[in-house]
Structure formats: structure tokens, C-alpha cells
Amino acid sequence: MSTHPDTGRGADPRRRGIAGWFDPRGRRLGGWAFALNRLSGLGVLLYLYLHLVILSTLASGAGAWNDFVALASSPVVLAFDVVLLAGLLLHGLNGLRVTLMGFGLVTGHRNAMIVALVLIAALVALGGAARIFGMV
Amino acid sequence: MTTTVDPAVRAAGAATRVLRVTRTPRGAGGDGGGGDLARQHGRRGRSDGFEVPAGSARTTVLDALTWARTHLDPTLDVRHACYHASCGTCGVRTDGRAVLACVTRLADLPEGDITVEPLRNQALISDLVVDIEALYEGFDAVGMPLVRESRTVPGSRPAPGVEGLTRFEDCIECGLCVSVCPIEASDAAYEGPAVLAAAWRVVEEPRHADPERAFALVDGDQGAWRCHLATECTEVCPSGALPAEGIMHLRRGLLRHRFRVAFARLRVGANGAGEPGGTP
């Protein structure tokens, strides 16, 4: 229903806007999954732009690229890689959950799916971290 | 922040709890009026404390609120009617959670002061009373009948001498689902979980209502496709109406409906090529 032109009903200033996505009070598991999907989506989008900026250093010559590669090998940047991996996993698996439920499938197991996707993402991200830091 | 106390209760040494109630005078809410009052009191309202008796384990938030209104502050606005989770009028947020005040016991809430706030995402009339007219406009738009064809709850037996039961829709129109929906928080134009679930009930069980009308209403950017499956609506629903599941069923129904319409048009094209105005 859209905002009523005479009464303004629907345009309630008490709506918190985007802050309402992340208010932790009274939030249940599905709400956390929703917030996580938004955050990871924004993070992945930010990474996409960052990735394009980084690739553009190739246009500045081999020296600039080698400098970036040296920076990318530092532990701090590698830690960011692990965060990126976790974000991609969470967003992708959460998207799969939303798709399944969007088709009306497994709606009775909505919370179990969230727990499962977080566990899978954590396990794969830990494995990825071990690999990225050369432990395996 | 002040706390209003009844000296008699204090003197009796009875067990008490303190309700911290968000107060907003009439005209200062989000109802489109009272701009000066809104500036004076702020959008969030002020918080008043009320010390209320809590000796019985059965005392509910609504008992405590009506007691505070009767004994401490008659200007405290609270809406209620049935006291048993049927009318859906006493929805509030206690400690941030949307609940029906009439079936939420003080003893079940965490120790310490209890915050009591109005529901979110609905225009505020005053104190704990929100404007439900927009919600009812949505219900009217989809045209959901209130009495179900399936008259009995599965497994239930009418009492001896009772020939039949009238079973109403599960939704009690309390608006808790609207309050907890994160999409409602950021998009006033979203039709919302209660109305979408009602539209699904029309499609599922038309009862002489028009499913086509319901489909037309919800098949848009602000309709069934706007839901992002936080499923908070289903979790909070006090009557088992399952709004999130209803929205998902509605989506599947919409897809089937679109395919049916598309195939009907194809058939028309095949049967009467070049003859606009042909009937399916």
C-alpha cells in the first residue's frame, strides 16, 4: 500500500530505515540471517570495486603491479582474503537458502538451514584460512 | 527518568516490577499532525517508570499496564479488549520484542526494569497505541473473508450438543508481523506480511472473493516479490498464521498464474492470428 496523499499514512517517521535492518533488539535467527546477507552483500560489492581499482594498477606498468603483489602478500591483506572468502560463502549460501524458500521449499526447516549455512561457511573459511596462510 | 510509585503497594512490601513505558502525547506521533509537539517531545517520546505489583506469577504485561493506568497515571494510553490473544489489539514491544501484552507474563521477562514501547512501522497515535487503519485498508483491498471453509481445527472435536463450529481466519490482525519486518522498517510502500498472507488465503480459499484481484494487488515491486525472507513475521505471529510461508506460497501461485496467462495468450495467438480482440 502506498502513502496516502491526504493523511500521509504509511510515511511514518518511526520507521528506522536501514538502521531497522540491523537493530539487534528482539531479533530472531531469520532476522540475523537477513542482516548478515545485507552486510555480506555490501562487502562483496565493495570488494568488486576494489578489485577493479587494483586491476587498473596494471595500466601503470610492471613496477606498480609488483608493488601491489608485495603488499597483497602481507599477513594483514591475507587476513582480509579470509574475511572475503567468509563473506562470499555466507552470501552465496544464504542466497541458496532464500532461493529454496522462495520456491516454497523446506520452509519448515528455515532455522536449521541458517545454522547449517553458517557452519558450512565457517568450516570452509577455516580451511581456506589454513590454505591462505600456508599451514596446509 | 522518573518512576511513579503507589505508596500503599510500597508499604505493603509486595513484590513489584518497574515498567519503563515510552510516552508520546497525542499529536506527537507519526500520524502526520502535531509537528510542534513532535519537536518538543522528540520522535522517540520520553520514558516514564511505573512500579507495579508483580506478586502473582500469572500477572501479565497488560495487567501491569492497566494497573498503572488505574492507580498511577490515567493519561497512559493502552489499547486492549479480550485479554486472551483473540482480538489482537494489545500489541507492544517489551524489552524490544513484539508481543501481545495480554499473554506475556512479567515472570517470563528478564530480571530488572521492563521497557514497554509501541509497535514499530505503524503510525503512532499516542503512548502505546498505533494506528492500524493502514493495515485494515490492506486487508480490505485483498478482500479476505473472515470465516474459513474448513470450519474445524484438525483434530478438534465439537463439544456434545454442538453441531458445528465457525472457524475464523488464523490471523488476528495484531500487526506484530509488521512491527518486526525489516523491509517494513525501510519501505513504507511495502504491502507487508499481514496483507500478503491475507492475499494468499484469498487465493488458497477464495470463498467467493476474487483471487485475480488479490494477484493483481500483490504482483508488483512492493508486493510478494519484495520479501527478503527474514521470516521474523512467522516467528513472532501469536496465532500461527505463518505469514512468511503464505508469501512464499503466494509467489509460487503468482508464477503459475503468469504461466497460465502467457499460455492462454499464446493459444489465442495460434487460434486467431491477426485477429485482435479474440477471446481466450
Side-chain angles (χ1 to χ4, degrees):
Chain A
M1 87 209 56
S2 56
T3 302
H4 193 284
D6 300 325
T7 63
R9 217 171 260 127
D12 177 11
R14 295 172 59 247
R15 289 177 200 268
R16 295 155 294 164
I18 289 173
W21 299 350
F22 305 112
D23 186 351
R25 293 189 317 150
R27 190 171 287 281
R28 292 167 174 82
L29 203 53
W32 285 113
F34 169 86
L36 199 61
N37 216 23
R38 298 265 144 160
L39 278 178
S40 57
L42 288 171
V44 170
L45 181 68
L46 181 69
Y47 169 74
L48 179 66
Y49 281 102
L50 201 61
H51 183 64
L52 293 174
V53 169
I54 289 165
L55 284 182
S56 71
T57 59
L58 281 169
S60 304
W65 180 250
N66 288 336
D67 287 346
F68 165 72
V69 170
L71 177 69
S73 306
S74 71
V76 174
V77 177
L78 291 179
F80 273 114
D81 281 349
V82 176
V83 173
L84 173 67
L85 177 62
L88 285 168
L89 284 164
L90 284 171
H91 197 72
L93 291 170
N94 223 335
L96 193 61
R97 175 188 72 91
V98 169
T99 305
L100 286 173
M101 286 191 68
F103 280 109
L105 304 171
V106 288
T107 50
H109 302 284
R110 56 186 181 277
N111 288 337
M113 274 200 295
I114 295 166
V115 172
L117 81 87
V118 170
L119 282 177
I120 292 169
L123 284 173
V124 177
L126 279 173
R131 181 95 181 164
I132 286 168
F133 284 102
M135 294 175 197
V136 288
Chain B
M1 195 183 305
T2 58
T3 300
T4 310
V5 177
D6 185 332
V9 171
R10 181 65 66 83
T16 60
R17 298 287 300 264
V18 173
L19 305 182
R20 298 265 167 226
V21 182
T22 300
R23 305 296 302 276
T24 310
R26 287 180 188 230
D31 56 358
D36 290 340
L37 274 173
R39 276 187 289 280
Q40 284 172 28
H41 293 272
R43 292 295 187 199
R44 295 176 68 87
R46 68 171 196 270
S47 178
D48 284 351
F50 299 105
E51 189 174 339
V52 297
S56 167
R58 298 170 63 91
T59 304
T60 65
V61 173
L62 183 57
D63 292 333
L65 286 168
T66 50
W67 190 92
R69 179 180 164 90
T70 305
H71 295 89
L72 303 176
D73 185 350
T75 70
L76 175 62
D77 279 348
V78 187
R79 182 168 52 209
H80 63 88
C82 75
Y83 282 96
H84 58 257
S86 279
C87 69
T89 57
C90 66
V92 294
R93 287 183 301 134
T94 56
D95 294 335
R97 288 206 157 199
V99 296
L100 290 180
C102 66
V103 288
T104 304
R105 296 178 181 183
L106 297 184
D108 293 335
L109 297 172
E111 294 286 318
D113 294 1
I114 300 163
T115 64
V116 186
E117 302 164 275
L119 295 180
R120 286 198 188 279
N121 307 328
Q122 291 153 86
L124 185 62
I125 295 173
S126 65
D127 293 344
L128 300 174
V129 181
V130 295
D131 187 348
I132 53 173
E133 200 168 334
L135 188 61
Y136 275 66
E137 284 170 1
F139 286 131
D140 285 346
V142 295
M144 180 181 71
L146 290 177
V147 177
R148 300 173 71 115
E149 278 175 1
S150 45
R151 293 293 175 95
T152 55
V153 179
S156 69
R157 291 182 189 166
V162 176
E163 290 185 1
L165 298 171
T166 298
R167 186 182 170 201
F168 289 100
E169 282 291 333
D170 288 335
C171 176
I172 57 171
E173 303 168 2
C174 61
L176 300 195
C177 56
V178 175
S179 181
V180 297
C181 173
I183 300 299
E184 286 271 9
S186 57
D187 191 347
Y190 176 43
E191 284 163 359
V195 171
L196 292 173
W200 165 244
R201 287 291 302 140
V202 171
V203 173
E204 186 183 32
E205 199 178 295
R207 292 157 283 176
H208 308 297
D210 184 7
E212 293 290 332
R213 186 174 141 201
F215 273 139
L217 186 80
V218 301
D219 191 8
D221 291 346
Q222 301 299 342
W225 307 107
R226 190 81 177 86
C227 170
H228 283 260
L229 283 157
T231 66
E232 295 263 13
C233 51
T234 284
E235 298 285 347
V236 81
C237 180
S239 58
L242 307 178
E245 283 77 355
I247 296 170
M248 294 311 111
H249 290 312
L250 192 57
R251 284 183 176 177
R252 207 156 50 177
L254 280 166
L255 278 178
R256 283 203 193 106
H257 181 68
R258 284 185 179 185
F259 276 119
R260 268 200 306 269
V261 170
F263 281 124
R265 283 186 182 151
L266 280 175
R267 270 207 307 273
V268 171
N271 293 341
E275 292 179 27
T279 52

